[in-house]
Amino acid sequence: MLGRFSIRFRLTAWYSLSLAVVLGLLAVASYFAMRASMYRAVDVDLRFSLAGVAQFLKSQQGSTLSELPDEIGRKSTLGVLFQIFDDQGKLVYQSDGLASHHIKPVAPTASGTAIVYRETGPEGWPVRLAAQRVTFRGQPIVVEVAQPMRFHYASLREFATSLLISLPLLVVIAAFVGYWLSGRALAPVNRIVEDARAIDSHRLSQRLSVPAAHDELRRLSETLNSMLDRIEVSVTRIKQFTADASHELRAPVTLIQAAAEYTLRRERTREELVEAMEKILRESRRTSQLIDSLLLLARADADEEVLQPAPVCVDSVLRDAVDRAREFAAGKNIRLAAAISEDALHVNGEAALLERLFFVLIENGIKYTPENGSVSVALRSSPDEVVVEVSDTGIGIAPEDLPHVFDRFWRADKARSREMGGTGLGLSIAKWIVEKSGGTIRVESAVGHGSKFEIRFPKLQNDRTLTTSQS
Ligand code: ADP
């Protein structure tokens, strides 16, 4: 119900409510404690009076029970309100003070020697009485002393009234103080809200102000700021990717358009037409390859390309990739050597994607190796890893370029890559496939000497493979 209100209001409401409950319980407890201690004090007084009267009766052993009232009247030094009943419950004596309180002379039910307490008296004149059986000249009688309770009750009522007035007052004061305090404590939240409102996709570099105090709100703004850092990096990367993708797509389309317009400008011989068509076909193939890579990366980013991890026989997939690349290598007069372990080695992954990964690496090796060079492919395994190595004797990669080779659209030499039909996306797709298969990829290279790409996959044990394929 309180959910509709501000945190400040809810905090104050809960705080005031709990304070009211605690103070209420405290007030009830202190009222009853006060009442109990009042009764205790009265009862102590009554017991003293009883002892006094008993002492007096002992000193009067010379008189009979019927002479007793006169004796008491004569001495009347006790100053105590009391009454005496005989064994039959008949009133023998009642002190004047007690009579003036209009106490009915009804005998208490005192038996044995235990003190019996009771409260009686007309409206407005309550008294508390304590009775005890004693013997007077061998005859059992009941002595009962009294204490007026009027003033005690009045002070108890006064105490209750002051509690009833001060308690709500205290809660109201505490609520105001609490409201003010929670306002102060929550002030940084308003600042965070204002800062957050000012941030949009055009002002992603702005950050929330961080409160000075080392508290939860500081942690909150720091956490939100680091989240904004990550969002900014991703948005910048997406913007860069979109810009690069449009640029890359525009280049072949412009080339296709230019080739078509140039050819149509005048009558062309059959050879000229074939040449133009081949150029257009080459660029269309490149465009469709680029679109294909872009789609794969877009799905990878959206996490749509969910791999159905199944045990894949890496050796046969690697052999297929090598066979596919043979013609390309032969065309460039490059020796393509493969040392692939005869054992059936299994990793978790998707065969088509793994073949694409191996092909990208082998094709790159061939592309970036001058004629008469060589590219070697090796597959080996350790007890828990399957390692694939693709090395070449090509142009190599400069040390400062190594950290960028897996970036999207990054190419050491744009013109050269384009000329070879490259899109700058091969290695970023390769890295994604490796990571999705639970592996790692790294590259070593020396300019002018060649490069070596090494991929490590967690190895699936054969018995596990059998179980999986049987299930
Ligand atoms: P591309 O389509 O341009 O080959 P990749 O993502 O596959 O795109 O590679 C990115 C860049 O890394 C290449 O343009 C090239 O500069 C460099 N590169 C990749 N493989 C090799 C290699 N085997 N030898 C030298 N340079 C390489």
Side-chain angles (χ1 to χ4, degrees), residues 125-393:
W125 292 99
V127 288
R128 184 163 172 83
L129 302 143
Q132 194 175 27
R133 237 171 209 285
V134 294
T135 41
F136 179 73
R137 298 188 65 182
Q139 208 180 325
I141 58 165
V142 175
V143 179
E144 190 167 45
V145 292
Q147 173 94 239
M149 295 297 282
R150 199 166 170 225
F151 295 110
H152 294 295
Y153 283 156
S155 53
L156 204 60
R157 256 197 313 278
E158 239 168 61
F159 180 62
T161 315
S162 60
L163 280 180
L164 278 179
I165 294 171
S166 60
L167 198 132
L169 207 69
L170 264 177
V171 173
V172 169
I173 293 171
F176 274 113
V177 174
Y179 192 68
W180 176 73
L181 275 179
S182 46
R184 272 182 63 105
L186 291 173
V189 174
N190 290 334
R191 231 165 297 134
I192 293 175
V193 169
E194 275 162 30
D195 289 349
R197 277 207 188 112
I199 298 173
D200 58 20
S201 61
H202 303 293
R203 274 172 296 206
L204 255 186
S205 52
Q206 279 192 30
R207 291 292 173 269
L208 308 174
S209 48
V210 178
H214 287 261
D215 56 9
E216 290 84 347
L217 290 178
R218 186 190 174 107
R219 269 216 318 278
L220 176 71
S221 4
E222 282 173 348
T223 312
L224 289 176
N225 278 345
S226 71
M227 184 185 81
L228 283 171
D229 289 345
R230 293 195 297 276
I231 292 178
E232 190 185 4
V233 169
S234 314
V235 170
T236 314
R237 212 184 287 151
I238 291 168
K239 278 184 183 162
Q240 185 63 45
F241 181 65
T242 317
D244 288 346
S246 339
H247 180 79
E248 292 295 328
L249 281 169
R250 224 184 47 207
V253 172
T254 312
L255 278 174
I256 291 172
Q257 213 175 333
E261 276 168 4
Y262 177 77
T263 316
L264 287 174
R265 223 173 265 164
R266 58 177 172 81
E267 280 288 309
R268 299 282 175 193
T269 62
R270 191 184 145 69
E271 286 73 37
E272 281 174 329
L273 281 177
V274 168
E275 195 187 326
M277 278 304 149
E278 274 172 354
K279 194 172 182 183
I280 288 171
L281 194 63
R282 206 167 45 242
E283 287 306 322
S284 323
R285 279 207 187 107
R286 247 182 63 77
T287 316
S288 104
Q289 198 188 334
L290 180 63
I291 290 171
D292 177 54
S293 300
L294 285 174
L295 275 179
L296 181 70
L297 282 172
R299 287 212 302 270
D301 286 346
D303 239 9
E304 259 181 42
E305 194 70 18
V306 187
L307 281 187
Q308 300 294 338
V312 176
C313 199
V314 206
D315 47 297
S316 73
V317 172
L318 188 57
R319 259 182 226 109
D320 288 350
V322 171
D323 289 345
R324 244 177 83 198
R326 276 201 196 286
E327 201 184 328
F328 182 36
K332 267 193 82 182
N333 212 9
I334 282 175
R335 205 172 73 84
L336 179 55
I340 298 173
S341 156
E342 284 302 314
D343 305 333
L345 296 171
H346 291 87
V347 300
N348 242 348
E350 207 175 275
L353 287 177
L354 288 177
E355 195 190 324
R356 185 173 186 150
L357 154 72
F358 299 142
F359 188 74
V360 164
L361 298 182
I362 300 168
E363 193 191 30
N364 274 354
I366 300 169
K367 269 197 304 195
Y368 301 108
T369 299
E371 285 203 12
N372 301 321
S374 68
V375 173
S376 331
V377 178
L379 171 70
R380 53 189 167 79
S381 79
S382 70
D384 40 33
E385 277 184 328
V386 171
V387 186
V388 176
E389 263 176 29
V390 179
S391 42
D392 61 59
T393 56

Side-chain angles (χ1 to χ4, degrees), residues 286 289 360-369 375 390-398 401 404-414 416-418 420-430 443-446 450-453:
R286 247 182 63 77
Q289 198 188 334
V360 164
L361 298 182
I362 300 168
E363 193 191 30
N364 274 354
I366 300 169
K367 269 197 304 195
Y368 301 108
T369 299
V375 173
V390 179
S391 42
D392 61 59
T393 56
I395 56 171
I397 304 163
D401 289 341
H404 304 291
V405 286
F406 297 107
D407 291 352
R408 293 175 182 184
F409 293 115
W410 185 89
R411 284 168 282 193
D413 180 342
K414 247 188 173 130
R416 185 187 186 124
S417 161
R418 259 193 70 78
M420 309 271 189
T423 57
L425 292 175
L427 284 182
S428 44
I429 289 175
V443 53
E444 282 169 25
S445 189
S451 316
K452 182 170 94 180
F453 286 83

Side-chain angles (χ1 to χ4, degrees), residues 42-54 78-85 95 98 103 108 115-120 127-132 142-148:
V42 168
D43 290 353
V44 167
D45 254 12
L46 285 173
R47 281 199 297 277
F48 271 121
S49 306
L50 259 181
V53 175
L78 286 168
V80 175
L81 304 181
F82 73 103
Q83 50 193 4
I84 297 171
F85 296 92
S95 63
L98 207 50
I103 303 299
I115 301 174
V116 177
Y117 300 93
R118 58 176 178 151
E119 261 180 78
T120 180
V127 288
R128 184 163 172 83
L129 302 143
Q132 194 175 27
V142 175
V143 179
E144 190 167 45
V145 292
Q147 173 94 239

